[in-house]
């Protein structure tokens, strides 16, 4: 054991796992949510304050079409979810980015909207990318109903009975978002507006607040429609079912470029995660009963994780077996360093089991690690240090970016794909370089190739300043390498244009950082997930166990 | 129309790439344009003037601590000048044929912010840690000399939270440059996008 200090720690910690071990696509594609995931951080903050969600506007017809405003006072600011719902033809209901209409559209408004604000948003929110917004709008989102389940739930509640528990368990949401836009998109407020606000200053906190309020709205909407259908017999959703109903989400390639385009943020998220693991491993303290209960919860959660995708199904089956074997003996709890012992034992199993063990350790050491949430953000802009020599830069690449030098980019397999932005709603896509047009317009996500080209082009005797005057095309690669030298987890250490690059791995990594679970891949480039399943409801924020919803299980 | 700062920066990056600049340089030019906008200059107009020039690298030579740069747009030569000065390679940079001097100011402003330093253009302007110290009424007509200045203690400029008004016709031109990086949709690309191949009426 060593004591390191990557984030000004005063806690003992084990040696961090190296970036070369962690920052690989296959491992990132096996990540699980942790207590440092963005949703968990938000909910801990909300639970501390236990604010009330108020329905300040509820102007819905009997079919649930109309407008609503849900407001919440949190850490000195009022935020309002403004919701618009409308009838939608089945033929128009698609989760694709290229969709033009949705069952529901939302903005998170900064404050309480006036009638004029409502009208402005009513005119623009349903258009989504086609609308224009102001810096009073913090987040823009849209969602589609899970149509059959929504109608089933309305029908059941109206008749005075609860929806089918098996459907609740299997589907897990009434609505799924198809986009959640923040940080200045389409004229909404820049992140700088909220970056210093308590409670929402961390990465994606304002977006996660929006999704949690959308979940609350979806519960209220289904109860409203049931009540309007048969007022005399309608009943509200049972609390246990409501708690299991999160918000679905379809996530595609748009998430993947974010990880590449924000290297310092990626570093911080991973550094925090790895530091949390290192602190947990060094801890000699364990609540044996809590560990036993959580282990059982994991087993049950895995049994409830069933998806149609054959590949993921096979991974889940292996994971169930690995987890059972890893937990077959509990003698590790008597070790001087029980978590380290458990962690070391997990290493012989598959990546899914290894990363589940990581999240398991983190979950049970909150007092050591929850403060790390303050280290997730960054306002640092990558920059070039022109003072170094090309010789030094070359040595630096060999030391920290050898992974970029490994692929043979003359081999077509290593350049088989290219990332690009489609003119269709500017959707990020991935194409086949040798089968599809547009490779000459590819987005610069080919980091490994850029670094290797830089390495091969570096002269020996001049400064980086002079080198870049002669070779400005290497400017991005120089910046990436120099950023990596300061932020060791800043790069995914794989070739992102290789034939075997699977974007789903990047999506799962990022979604796990958000706090999603029960990944349901629909191809190697998009997945469905559920957000906030098992999370506290608005009237449960003050409960003692409000933070205890990691890997939730259905409660019949 | 009012535009968010993230919207401005991301569109400027794409526009610069669309005009033929490498991604690394496009980031620098976009940062410079946004810095100009934040400091009440016509950053988009300045960037568009830059993008209308051929994207090519600067000619350079350094003699006796002086870096001479020409043959490229103002942004390109200014980026080289900053690298040369901050590396200690030279003490001053002479920029020739600078037809767009405000872009030079944008690049220097951004660099002074990122590197916590002061930089000046002799006889015209000085920036310190991302803030404008002085800007004369008459920018250099063709040539300018750039050098590091004495850095003063300064609270770093924080980005204004308010949005920035960009004239629609300028924005349209900027978007047209950005659109040069977009790939036309095909049935094949559409079929492989997120959400494809599944009914959403479940």
């Amino acid at each position: 054991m060593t004591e390191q200090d990557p984030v000004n720690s005063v806690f003992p910690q084990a040696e961090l796992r190296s970036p070369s071990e962690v920052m690989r696509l296959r491992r990132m594609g096996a990540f699980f949510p942790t207590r440092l995931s963005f949703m968990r951080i938000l909910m801990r903050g909300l639970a501390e304050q236990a604010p009330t969600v108020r329905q300040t506007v509820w102007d819905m017809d009997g079919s649930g079409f109309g407008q609503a405003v849900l407001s919440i006072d949190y850490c000195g600011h009022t935020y309002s979810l403004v919701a618009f719902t409308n009838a939608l033809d089945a033929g128009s209901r698609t989760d694709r980015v290229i969709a033009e209409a949705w069952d529901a559209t939302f903005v998170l408004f900064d404050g309480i909207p006036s009638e004029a604000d409502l009208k402005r948003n009513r005119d623009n929110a349903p258009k989504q990318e086609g609308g224009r917004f102001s810096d009073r709008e913090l987040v823009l989102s849209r969602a589609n109903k899970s149509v059959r389940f929504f109608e089933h739930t309305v029908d059941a509640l109206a008749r005075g009975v609860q929806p089918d528990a098996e459907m609740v368990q299997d589907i897990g949401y009434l609505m799924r978002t198809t986009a959640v836009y923040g940080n200045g998109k389409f004229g909404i407020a820049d992140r700088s507006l909220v970056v210093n606000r308590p409670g929402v200053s961390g990465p994606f906190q304002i977006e996660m607040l929006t999704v949690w309020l959308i979940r609350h709205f979806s519960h209220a909407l289904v109860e409203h429609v049931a009540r309007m259908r048969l007022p005399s017999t309608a009943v509200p959703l049972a609390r246990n079912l409501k708690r299991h109903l999160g918000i679905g989400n379809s996530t595609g390639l748009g998430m993947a470029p974010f990880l590449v385009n924000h290297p310092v943020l990626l570093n911080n998220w991973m550094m925090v995660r790895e530091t949390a693991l290192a602190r947990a491993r060094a801890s000699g303290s364990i609540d044996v009963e809590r560990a036993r209960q959580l282990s059982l919860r994991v087993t049950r959660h895995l049994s409830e994780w069933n998806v149609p995708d054959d590949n993921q199904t096979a991974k889940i089956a292996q994971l169930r077996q690995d987890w059972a074997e890893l937990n077959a003996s509990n003698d590790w709890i008597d070790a001087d360093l029980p978590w380290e012992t458990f962690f070391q034992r997990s290493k012989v199993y598959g990546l899914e089991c290894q990363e589940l063990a990581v999240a398991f350790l983190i979950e049970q050491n909150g007092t050591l690690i929850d403060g790390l949430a303050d280290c997730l953000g960054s306002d640092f802009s990558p920059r070039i240090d022109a003072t170094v020599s090309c010789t030094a830069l070359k040595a630096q690449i060999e030391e920290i970016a050898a992974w970029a030098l490994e692929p043979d980019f003359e081999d077509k397999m290593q350049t088989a794909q290219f990332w690009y932005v489609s003119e269709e709603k500017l959707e990020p896509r991935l194409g086949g370089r040798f089968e599809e047009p547009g490779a000459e317009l590819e987005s610069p996500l080919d980091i490994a190739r850029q670094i290797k080209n830089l390495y091969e082009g570096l002269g020996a005797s001049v400064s980086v300043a002079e080198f870049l005057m002669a070779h400005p095309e290497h400017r991005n690669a120089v910046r990436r390498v120099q950023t990596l030298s300061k932020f060791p987890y800043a790069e995914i250490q794989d070739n992102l244009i290789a034939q075997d690059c699977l974007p789903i791995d990047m999506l799962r990594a990022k979604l796990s950082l958000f706090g999603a679970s029960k990944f349901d891949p629909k191809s190697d480039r998009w997945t469905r997930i559920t957000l906030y399943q098992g999370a506290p409801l608005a009237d449960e924020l003050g409960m003692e166990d409000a933070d205890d919803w990691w890997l939730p299980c259905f409660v019949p | 129309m009012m535009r968010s700062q993230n919207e401005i920066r991301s569109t400027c990056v794409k526009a610069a790439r669309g005009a033929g600049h490498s991604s690394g340089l496009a980031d620098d030019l976009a940062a410079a344009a946004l810095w100009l906008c934040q400091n009440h200059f016509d950053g988009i107009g300045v960037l568009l003037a830059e993008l209308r020039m051929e994207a090519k690298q600067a000619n350079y030579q350094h003699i006796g601590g002086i870096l001479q740069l020409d043959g490229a747009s103002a942004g390109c030569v200014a980026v080289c000048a900053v690298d040369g000065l901050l590396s200690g390679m030279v003490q001053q940079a002479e920029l020739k044929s600078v037809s767009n001097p405000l872009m030079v100011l944008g690049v220097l402003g951004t660099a002074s912010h990122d590197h916590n330093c002061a930089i000046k253009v002799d006889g015209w302007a000085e920036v310190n840690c991302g803030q404008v110290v002085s800007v004369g009424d008459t920018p250099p007509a063709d040539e300018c000399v750039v050098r590091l200045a004495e850095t003063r203690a300064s609270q770093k400029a924080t980005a204004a939270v308010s949005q920035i008004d960009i004239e629609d016709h300028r924005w349209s031109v900027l978007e047209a440059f950005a659109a040069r990086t977009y790939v036309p949709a095909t049935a094949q690309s559409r079929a492989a996008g997120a959400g494809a191949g599944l009914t959403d009426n479940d």
Side-chain angles (χ1 to χ4, degrees), chain A residues 157-207:
Chain A
L157 295 180
R159 291 186 289 106
V161 298
Q162 293 299 317
D164 178 64
E166 200 168 318
M167 286 182 78
V168 173
Q169 184 176 346
D170 288 349
I171 297 170
Y173 54 82
L174 291 160
M175 283 186 165
R176 57 176 174 267
T177 52
T178 65
V180 181
Y181 293 120
N183 194 14
K185 284 271 193 175
F186 317 114
I188 64 176
D190 283 294
R191 179 170 152 70
S192 55
L193 188 76
V194 298
V195 76
N196 293 317
R197 288 191 188 180
V200 295
S201 60
F204 291 97
Q205 293 296 285
I206 202 75
E207 290 85 354

Side-chain angles (χ1 to χ4, degrees), chain A residues 90 93-96 98 132-135 145-148 176 183-184 186-190 192-193 252-253 383-384 386-387 420-424 426-427 429 435-438 441-444 450 463 465-466 468-470 472-473 475-476 479 522 525-526 528, chain B residues 1-7 9 14 17 22-25 27-28 57-58 60 62 67 69 79-81 83-84 86-89 113-115 156 159-163 180-186 188-202:
Chain A
R93 187 175 289 106
T94 170
D95 290 1
R96 303 287 309 267
I98 54 177
R132 282 302 295 176
F133 302 89
S134 75
D135 59 4
K145 288 175 191 163
S146 178
V147 181
R148 283 195 289 270
R176 57 176 174 267
N183 194 14
F186 317 114
I188 64 176
D190 283 294
S192 55
L193 188 76
L253 292 179
R383 57 201 58 161
I384 285 174
T387 62
Y420 65 93
V421 175
S422 169
E423 67 178 11
E424 267 189 316
L426 309 189
E427 184 179 36
R429 290 180 182 171
E435 304 90 47
E436 294 179 55
L441 297 174
E442 75 177 301
S443 304
Q450 289 182 46
S463 67
E466 190 164 355
L468 287 175
M469 289 176 206
E473 70 275 15
R475 206 167 176 79
N476 191 49
R479 193 176 273 133
K522 297 301 178 188
R525 55 191 68 186
W526 76 280
R528 280 191 180 158
Chain B
M1 183 178 287
M2 301 303 288
R3 302 280 170 184
S4 74
Q5 298 190 29
N6 191 36
E7 208 173 12
R9 183 162 183 159
K14 287 187 281 191
R17 284 185 50 231
S22 68
S23 61
L25 193 56
D27 286 338
D28 292 322
Q57 70 187 70
Y60 70 95
H62 56 102
L67 177 65
L69 293 152
V79 164
C80 295
D83 285 348
L86 291 177
S87 70
M89 184 177 114
H113 174 272
D114 288 351
H115 296 278
K156 270 200 168 185
V161 294
S162 58
Q163 300 185 323
R180 295 183 189 176
T181 65
Y182 305 152
V183 175
T186 63
Q188 189 175 4
S189 71
R190 203 171 293 132
L198 201 75
T199 175
D200 295 315
N201 291 297
D202 53 353

Side-chain angles (χ1 to χ4, degrees), chain A residues 56-59 66-69 80 82 84 109 111-124 136-137:
Chain A
T56 46
V57 173
W58 190 266
D59 183 13
Q67 63 182 13
V69 179
S80 296
V82 182
F84 303 99
F109 188 85
I112 303 249
S114 66
E115 193 50 48
D117 293 323
L118 274 180
K119 180 180 183 322
R120 183 167 51 78
N121 278 306
R122 192 161 54 239
D123 290 342
N124 286 281
R136 298 300 304 277
E137 285 82 51

Side-chain angles (χ1 to χ4, degrees), chain A residues 151-164 226-227 229-235:
Chain A
E151 175 52 31
H152 165 79
T153 305
V154 167
D155 179 63
L157 295 180
R159 291 186 289 106
V161 298
Q162 293 299 317
D164 178 64
R227 200 165 48 242
R229 187 172 294 181
L230 286 173
S232 59
T233 55
V235 293

Side-chain angles (χ1 to χ4, degrees), chain A residues 66 85 146 163-164 236 242 254 266 334 371 486 541 554:
Chain A
T85 57
S146 178
D164 178 64
K242 198 184 272 190
L266 176 62
D334 296 321
K486 296 183 180 68
L541 290 175
F554 181 66

